[in-house]
């Protein structure tokens, strides 16, 4: 059975949707298969293991950085006698508000690291960051400083952590850009594909929020006409259809794995009107949310 880890289990500070810790794993204390309702950024400090991600095993070793999105199933596997040390930052998108990023002029760069390398499951580990030398030392030093702030809880710690998290993601964005510098410049078609992946990644992270087309256009610096044309061309869906698909897929997961009432499931996936949610679910899935849950049991 796959466990879903809740924000309340880790993010106990009501003032900031964040937690960070340093953990050791070996064959005797490996976590079971699990998902979480928050984002997890993992840095492998030492050791080597297999990261079991969505049922597939991927070798990882010291210096690797990767992100686990909400709802994705993962765990680790180690060889006998092998131990890994990881630092994991757990947070929600609300940690660093989009308005702050826009004011600082870094929204594009943040999106580049935070979204692009982690969009396509088929490419997830092809595009992970594998740091070494001074790059890995700088990242580790920053993470350790964040841990110290988090544990000391001195005055202003939440602001400092937000700024440090922003610095971390900007550093990783820079490293990722450098890793691509030797690659062939993408064609116009390739640029459209990348843009749609970035937009799709944004939708997957913010599926439970109000997603207005004008806001998406402003965020990605694209006109409404271009957005609809390119998105439909690349995915065969409109943006609105994609949002509904993401929400219904997540609702199916919540119904199968939890006991929340349908009205609460509707709210969790971004629908304020439970009647509309039920009608949409029935049209997309072929049965009501309650019937779907019964069939999964």
């Amino acid at each position: 059975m796959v466990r879903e880890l809740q924000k309340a289990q880790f993010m106990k500070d009501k003032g900031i949707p964040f937690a960070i810790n340093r953990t050791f794993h070996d064959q005797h204390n490996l976590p079971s298969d699990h998902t979480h309702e928050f984002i997890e950024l993992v840095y492998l400090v030492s050791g080597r293991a297999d990261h079991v991600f969505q049922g597939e095993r991927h070798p990882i070793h010291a210096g690797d950085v990767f992100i686990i999105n909400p709802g994705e199933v993962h765990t680790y596997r180690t060889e006998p006698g092998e131990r890994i040390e990881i630092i994991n930052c757990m947070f929600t998108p609300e940690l660093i508000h989009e308005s702050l990023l826009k004011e600082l002029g870094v929204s594009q760069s943040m999106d580049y690291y935070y979204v692009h390398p982690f969009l396509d499951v088929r490419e997830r580990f092809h595009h992970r960051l594998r740091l070494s030398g001074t790059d890995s030392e700088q990242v580790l030093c920053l993470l350790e400083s964040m841990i110290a702030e988090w544990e000391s809880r001195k005055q202003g710690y939440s602001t400092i952590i937000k700024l440090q998290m922003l610095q971390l993601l900007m550093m990783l964005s820079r490293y990722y850009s450098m890793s691509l510098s030797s690659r062939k410049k993408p064609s116009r078609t390739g640029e459209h594909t990348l843009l749609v992946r970035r937009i799709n990644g944004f939708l997957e992270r913010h599926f439970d929020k109000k997603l207005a087309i004008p806001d998406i256009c402003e965020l990605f610096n694209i006109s409404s006409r271009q957005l609809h044309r390119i998105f439909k061309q690349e995915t065969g869906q409109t943006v609105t259809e994609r949002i509904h698909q993401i929400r219904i897929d997540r609702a199916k997961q919540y119904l199968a794995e939890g006991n929340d009432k349908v009205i609460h499931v509707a709210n969790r996936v971004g629908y304020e009107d439970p009647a509309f949610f039920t009608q949409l679910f029935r049209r997309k899935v072929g049965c009501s949310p309650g019937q779907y849950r019964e069939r999964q049991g």
Side-chain angles (χ1 to χ4, degrees), residues 3 9 24-25 33 58 60 86 110 113 117 142 154 157 159 162 167 174 221 228 248 264-265 267 271 279-280:
R3 293 184 303 136
Q9 295 175 254
F24 295 89
H25 292 301
D33 290 358
H58 304 271
I60 55 174
I86 66 172
M110 279 281 290
Y113 171 71
L142 182 54
K154 293 180 181 178
Y157 73 94
T159 300
K162 290 178 183 180
Q167 181 184 355
R174 178 188 298 171
N221 192 29
H228 289 301
I248 294 300
H264 294 150
V265 172
N267 187 256
Y271 294 112
Q279 181 182 26
L280 180 67

Side-chain angles (χ1 to χ4, degrees), residues 109-272:
S109 297
M110 279 281 290
D111 176 72
Y112 192 59
Y113 171 71
Y114 179 53
V115 177
H116 169 57
F118 306 100
L119 296 185
D120 192 328
V121 171
R122 296 168 299 177
E123 298 184 356
R124 177 69 58 81
F125 281 85
H126 173 65
H127 284 296
R128 76 186 181 283
L129 281 176
R130 177 156 280 177
L131 305 179
S132 61
T134 56
D135 293 346
S136 61
E137 291 173 3
Q138 288 177 343
V139 168
L140 179 57
C141 181
L142 182 54
L143 286 166
E144 288 177 333
S145 176
M146 293 170 69
I147 292 174
E149 282 292 334
W150 183 245
E151 292 179 346
S152 68
R153 298 291 210 281
K154 293 180 181 178
Q155 182 178 359
Y157 73 94
S158 62
T159 300
I160 290 176
I161 283 175
K162 290 178 183 180
L163 293 173
Q164 288 177 323
M165 193 66 189
L166 178 57
Q167 181 184 355
L168 172 63
L169 292 172
M170 287 299 297
M171 287 171 59
L172 294 173
S173 174
R174 178 188 298 171
Y175 298 149
Y176 184 72
S177 296
M178 291 170 60
S179 75
L180 295 181
S181 61
S182 61
R183 299 186 184 183
K184 184 178 178 181
K185 187 176 180 180
S187 63
R188 176 63 63 179
T189 301
E191 290 177 356
H192 287 171
T193 300
L194 175 57
L195 174 61
V196 169
R197 286 184 179 179
R198 290 173 56 220
I199 294 170
N200 192 62
F202 178 82
L203 300 180
E204 289 181 346
R205 294 182 191 284
H206 299 272
F207 69 90
D208 57 339
K209 305 296 187 299
K210 290 184 178 179
L211 296 169
I213 297 298
D215 294 337
I216 296 172
C217 290
E218 182 180 0
L219 179 61
F220 290 96
N221 192 29
I222 186 174
S223 70
S224 176
R225 182 179 178 182
Q226 284 180 305
L227 173 64
H228 289 301
R229 179 177 62 83
I230 294 172
F231 202 90
K232 182 76 171 181
Q233 178 181 308
E234 290 288 328
T235 68
Q237 294 179 304
T238 66
V239 174
T240 301
E241 287 170 342
R242 179 59 183 152
I243 292 170
H244 286 319
Q245 180 186 332
I246 293 169
R247 288 174 169 176
I248 294 300
D249 287 346
R250 190 55 58 86
K252 288 165 66 177
Q253 178 185 333
Y254 291 154
L255 289 165
E257 298 176 359
N259 297 312
D260 283 355
K261 294 181 178 179
V262 171
I263 188 173
H264 294 150
V265 172
N267 187 256
R268 286 183 70 183
V269 298
Y271 294 112
E272 296 180 356

